[in-house]
Amino acid sequence: MPELPPVPELLSTAVQALGGKERDGQVTMATAVDHAIDTKEHLAVQAGTGTGKSLAYLVPSLRHAVRTGRTVIVSTATIALQRQLVDRDLPRLADALSGKLGRQAKFAILKGRNNYLCLNKINSVLPEEPAEAELFDAFAISRLGREVQRLNEWASDTETGDRDELAPGVTDRAWRQVSVSSRECLGKSRCSFGQDCFAERARAESAQSDIVVTNHALLAIDAISGIQILPEHDVVVIDEAHELVDRVTGVATAELAPAAISAAARRCTKLIDEREVDRLEGAAEAWHEILDELPGARWDTMPDGVAPALALVRDAAWNARTALNPPGSTGAQGDQDAAAARTQALAAIDEVHDSAVRALTAFDEPDPAARRDVIWLAADDIRGVARKTLRMAPLSVGGLLRARLFGTATVVLTSATLQIGGNFDGLAITWGLPARSSARSDTGAANGAEAPSDADTVRWSSLDVGSPFDHAKSGILYVAKHLPAPGRDGLAPAYLDEIERLITAAGGRTLGLFSSMRAAKAATEALRERIDTPILCQGDDSTGALVRKFADDPETSLFGTLSLWQGVDVPGPSLSLVILDRIPFPRPDDPLLTARQRAVESRGGNGFMAVAANHAALLLAQGTGRLLRSVDDRGVVAILDSRLATARYGGYLRASLPPYWETSNPEVVVKALQRLTAN
């Protein structure tokens, strides 16, 4: 095929067609991504809000896909960004570049199998077992029935079977009635609905696409399982890359609860000998009894009595599995419903067995800092019912990512916040990349420069393309240095006084980001009695509905916790003040992060800075980034935690934030907010 135009020309064409204007940061990033693809050198790009980073990686990705015939994978952390890419950015971009590329580019979205409606399950007579707490809840059962009925009706109308296209949505419990995991799937060749399967159709479409948009979870499953789920590819773009480690950790985390063992046993009823089912139920009871005696905490050693109980679960699950699928068996037998029942039972039994084996072998390595997994007993409260669950998560996912992701494709990682403490190394190490990257800073260096020759075989470079916002002129970072350091007993009266004064000066228009739901609710209750403007609190309605109400009324304030730190995009006059109650360090009893911190210390490093401070810095950068969402926005970020100004680590954390103009003078801030309100 004829030589395609270079990336800058394609980007210029795209920007003109989409009615935008070229930005220096966008051009720099697009050229750097093109260079990374050409040299097969991994690239981390920090691109501030408003840079236009989606176009900056989509244009070189499409050029590469059309030129080579190879698919490019684009992975995101959120459904919102997936939808933006598939419903808005890619269709417009494909139209804009069809002439320059010589054809219409093709793209598709691909999710995990359980995100698609299963035609076999919806046409079968295999109901899910009710959750234990729902057995005596008539309302929950009737709601479940109504939702399943609506799903059955929707199944006749939908063209994709994609859960995200169902509006309004349904509960996870209802969706499980009509979907299957990859383990539960019969397989296209054995299923009578295989030719019409929504998941298979999505997978077939992705195999013929230039760009496949997926999520971090499916990317992790593709890497961990060793089973090819994504189409053949040689380039992966990871947007919202600051969330990659958490999403991969989530996928690699397993759990073992008595209820799950009992549910697996019930699935085996009528499929295997009753004695094997009873044996599995007995193992579930023994597991429940031993967990009931233990406190919720991380396990550094195996508690007394746990190993025999785990062995009982393991052996009972293995016997049930052998009975379900005896040696020499060719798989599920009998009619379609019976085959589906057997496959689903096998999936449940395999999960129980594999989790028991994982827990039993977790302590083979005597040094906790050298173990693969962190094990802890979680005590959860589900609808007033206390549940104890053993959880197992990898101490690190860096090795996995290094071998299964960076070792198999060229990877571009991007986000508005990738630099922690002023450099990329903090996140790079958690990704499994060597520290001290070769930094690039301008367009000239980004394209055509010689690739770095690190002694390490994994080569990567980093680039901060800046932001179109003038942070120092548009925003004030106010650290309330005069307030006492936050304690453990909730918000001190001085904090409530400070919040009241700031919101009053701003005339509402406030996003309050709190470190806990308890603090958010306490502040809401106290301040609703003290100020005249409305305050919404997370939990009053769905998060999406609350954000819309907040955006529609400039006098309204919105208080909430973690999901709001990263999930709010409200440009304009409705948001002039962002309040953070404290530095978002992880909970001191977080079993996984404290184990990771200890592992760093065992190697002579600073565990607090490498884990706790980096965790806080990333969230602070995300939270403070809620203020400026368009070039016309103005306002204040108020951090009420005086430690940001007084503690030794304060400078490190501030280096992770956008370069706002800084002050600790409350009078300056109040006057600035009053001027904004008057305008």
Side-chain angles (χ1 to χ4, degrees), residues 139 204 234 515 607:
F139 178 78
D234 60 351
S515 54

Side-chain angles (χ1 to χ4, degrees), residues 13-35:
T13 299
V15 170
Q16 289 176 22
L18 272 54
K21 60 179 181 180
E22 281 195 8
R23 304 157 190 163
D24 291 342
Q26 187 181 55
V27 175
T28 301
M29 178 175 172
T31 316
V33 172
D34 184 43
H35 174 80

